Amino acid sequence: FGGDQHALVSMNFRNIKNFNQTHEPFDAKSFAAAMREGKHVSGRDLSPIMPRFDLSDAEIQALSSYLRTLSAKWSPGVDARVIHFATVITPDVSPQRKQVFLETIKAAVNQKNGNFAPRMRTMSTAAEMMFNTNRFWDLAVWELQGEPQTWAAQLEERYRAQPVFALVSGLGAGQWMPVHDFCERQKVACWFPSVDAPPVSASKDFYSLYFSNGVGLEADVLAQQLGTAKPARLIQLHRGDMTGRAGATHLQGLMASAKQKIPVVTRSVEATDAASLSRALADVGPRDAVMMWWPEGDVPALEAVPVPKGAVYFSARMADAEHAPFPEAWKTAVRLVYPYQLPEKRGAGLFYFNSWLKVVKIALREEVLQSEVYFAMSYLTETLTDMLVNVHVDYMLERAENMLSLREGAKAEDEARELSTARYNKGGVGGAQGAMTRLAMPEARKSPRPMPGQTAQVMAKREGTTVYPRLSLAPGQRFASKGAFIVRFAADGKSVVPDSEWIVP
């Protein structure tokens, strides 16, 4: 509309960026023709992949008004040299997890900023060099305090003091709704936080993207599994915490709406002594199923509790998956609802992440959390790089929706190829497509050479680069990982093996 002579036409990050041909600005009439008939303002036909929309005059006017407003200026938190971000930590997070989180996200930002020097960096495209779009990242850590009902005011106060373009990553142990609502209200992107129970409204809102639906996804998967197993009853136990309650409530609702009605008994167990736990499980029969929404810290309390006679399931996300300290007697009976890639295949997707940890000298302490933070920051870097001067929150989220599947498939392919070529053995990782180059290209040359056998593992067919088998989004989707396995412990009691295929409910 404004006659920008440097508008860019390519969304695919693997394509070379091209400039639009010079043309007159669109007006109301030519914009309507473009939307309805695929006609350019010059009269030529637009690309066949440009959709043609059956829109009324009122809809055309609304769309035009929105686009004019969106493109009038950059989103809050952005200027020519700096882009401001914040990351949120809720007060219910343990000090140990907070330390791991901050160590990882600060390393990613420091590495990105270590490569910041306007007009003095390796540009990925000529367009990026022309626009000089590399900005310094200013990351504020917003540690919330007190009860959840006070968080909205805390967030608003900090946003007034310094508007931010996005809340990047983030860490919550239970409640996240006030943060989610803040992003929707202020139209700030909430970019892949590490939370166990996203708000119920998340799938219908716009400004927040999540790795998965957390315990809600585990409930969906187990409901499908139970629909096949057909137990006589489902008995759920949780510790009264918000995450456990959220999972249990969601699963109970699914069971109530299922065609085959399976009675559900949900119990909140406040004490973890052996007598209390034994009483809570005493009536479980061999045809019943038990779902334990049980946090990792309370798993050792099961040591003196008899194993229930029926099928026993645990939330892998809450219990820390195969790392949970299950008593030996329980390991033979436990099944985990497991929303991650299987361990024997996970090393391939996380090879570059583990290499990055070595480069920045950070120990691997929480694989899921640290790899989520790494992905959130590297995908953000790539997305902003390809956006160039179009630094608008809505545009970033649309790019995330449309490009995630392609990004993951291309990155997996590129990483595998790099590790199989001679150039890797000469000390490089294959240029700008290397995973670590997304954060800081010079550091990529420090990536360790794979040991014998590792190259074959990384070359194995895979679809992603994270702890999840695959991540994908489509317009309107807000959960990138959409399934889980049912797994059991192997004979060694340490690793897990699948009891099901990947279940997408």
Side-chain angles (χ1 to χ4, degrees), residues 427-481:
V429 297
Q433 292 296 328
M436 287 178 295
T437 66
R438 298 302 186 184
L439 289 172
M441 294 178 68
E443 292 295 328
R445 289 191 288 273
K446 300 178 183 178
S447 177
R449 185 176 301 175
M451 300 297 290
Q454 282 184 314
T455 299
Q457 181 189 39
V458 176
M459 283 292 291
K461 180 175 174 56
R462 57 192 173 95
E463 298 179 61
T465 65
T466 70
V467 72
Y468 302 97
R470 63 189 64 85
L471 296 178
S472 65
L473 289 170
Q477 291 185 349
R478 289 299 172 261
F479 303 128
S481 183

Side-chain angles (χ1 to χ4, degrees), residues 11-76:
M11 176 174 275
N12 186 341
F13 70 90
R14 303 192 83 182
N15 289 347
I16 297 173
K17 300 297 182 293
N18 295 312
F19 295 109
N20 265 331
Q21 296 176 1
T22 301
H23 60 77
E24 292 298 317
F26 281 84
D27 57 19
K29 183 178 179 180
S30 58
F31 177 68
M35 294 295 99
R36 292 168 173 160
E37 305 164 26
K39 290 292 184 182
H40 189 263
V41 65
S42 64
R44 65 175 172 83
D45 290 336
L46 291 169
S47 167
I49 65 171
M50 169 66 189
R52 277 62 169 166
F53 298 96
D54 182 15
L55 298 175
S56 68
D57 289 344
E59 289 168 333
I60 287 286
Q61 184 177 0
L63 179 58
S64 174
S65 298
Y66 167 72
L67 293 175
R68 289 174 187 272
T69 301
L70 182 68
S71 302
K73 58 182 179 180
W74 290 325
S75 294

Side-chain angles (χ1 to χ4, degrees), residues 41 83 86 159 195 215 320 381 416 418:
V41 65
I83 182 166
Y159 186 76
V195 294
V215 293
D320 197 24
T381 303
E418 286 159 5

Side-chain angles (χ1 to χ4, degrees), residues 167-197:
L167 301 185
V168 297
S169 190
L171 185 60
Q175 178 66 267
W176 191 254
M177 177 67 84
V179 184
H180 178 96
D181 286 347
F182 165 80
C183 290
E184 295 300 315
R185 187 168 57 252
Q186 290 290 356
K187 299 182 179 180
V188 170
C190 183
W191 187 264
F192 294 102
S194 294
V195 294
D196 293 333

